[in-house]
Amino acid sequence: NLVLKNYPEQDVAKRIKSAMIEAVGLNEADIDAEAAALEAWAQGMTKDDITNAMKGEGDSPLSAIAKAAKDDQWWMYSRFFGIGLVRIMEIVGVEQDMSVAYDVMEEWVGKSMEKPFYTACSDSDLYFKTKGKLDMMETMMKEIEIREKKRMA
């Protein structure tokens, strides 16, 4: 939802999401349920709580994911994992800024999970750069729309 939330045709966005999930042989309902459970768990947590869970401490859904990743020498970071971490940052109140997210991503993936973090950090940078451009575009389109309405009146 974070990636396609501004897609102009939401019914097409839903079909794109479904196609991506089905293409890798996963069940969309299961993924949505797991995401909802993780979001519900993250509500009211702090960045430090998430850091501890990323170390594999506790019995939360996130700590189970982190433990499994840490125990798997072949585990590989993906952009979807990174987008999930950005969403968790948003839920726990981490400032949605490229420089802040870089440090948090380094802490969570690199220090807590003990996995290579450079790709995760560059992906979070890419996300915030793209989001910034989209936000500017939305603002510009709203300004144009307002100008057009004033001219028509």
Side-chain angles (χ1 to χ4, degrees):
N1 293 344
L2 197 60
V3 176
L4 295 173
K5 74 178 179 181
N6 290 333
Y7 198 80
E9 299 172 17
Q10 281 301 302
D11 60 321
V12 175
K14 288 177 186 171
R15 291 194 347 243
I16 291 171
K17 176 187 168 203
S18 296
M20 287 174 37
I21 291 170
E22 290 171 15
V24 293
L26 298 173
N27 182 315
E28 186 173 3
D30 291 345
I31 289 175
D32 288 343
E34 289 174 11
L38 194 54
E39 284 184 354
W41 171 81
Q43 297 293 332
M45 295 289 174
T46 65
K47 183 175 97 39
D48 292 333
D49 294 334
I50 303 300
T51 300
N52 290 333
M54 293 297 286
K55 291 177 182 174
E57 297 173 2
D59 59 354
S60 70
L62 186 58
S63 64
I65 292 167
K67 281 179 204 170
K70 286 175 79 167
D71 292 343
D72 183 357
Q73 70 175 8
W74 304 111
W75 180 85
M76 192 169 139
Y77 165 84
S78 74
R79 279 196 171 150
F80 296 106
F81 187 80
I83 289 295
L85 293 179
V86 169
R87 175 69 180 127
I88 290 173
M89 286 182 209
E90 184 179 10
I91 291 170
V92 300
V94 172
E95 183 182 348
Q96 295 292 288
D97 179 72
M98 188 166 48
S99 61
V100 175
Y102 187 99
D103 294 337
V104 174
M105 197 68 80
E106 180 180 353
E107 181 179 347
W108 287 355
V109 177
K111 295 176 183 164
S112 297
M113 290 182 67
E114 300 168 357
K115 297 289 182 179
F117 61 89
Y118 298 110
T119 304
C121 292
S122 71
D123 284 349
S124 75
D125 284 353
L126 176 64
Y127 170 80
F128 286 107
K129 284 178 189 174
T130 305
K131 184 179 181 305
K133 288 177 184 176
L134 282 171
D135 290 345
M136 283 189 335
M137 184 71 159
E138 274 185 21
T139 302
M140 185 178 74
M141 292 303 291
K142 286 178 185 175
E143 289 172 357
I144 290 171
E145 187 178 321
I146 290 168
R147 242 181 300 167
E148 287 297 317
K149 285 182 181 178
K150 284 181 181 178
R151 195 165 45 115
M152 298 289 260

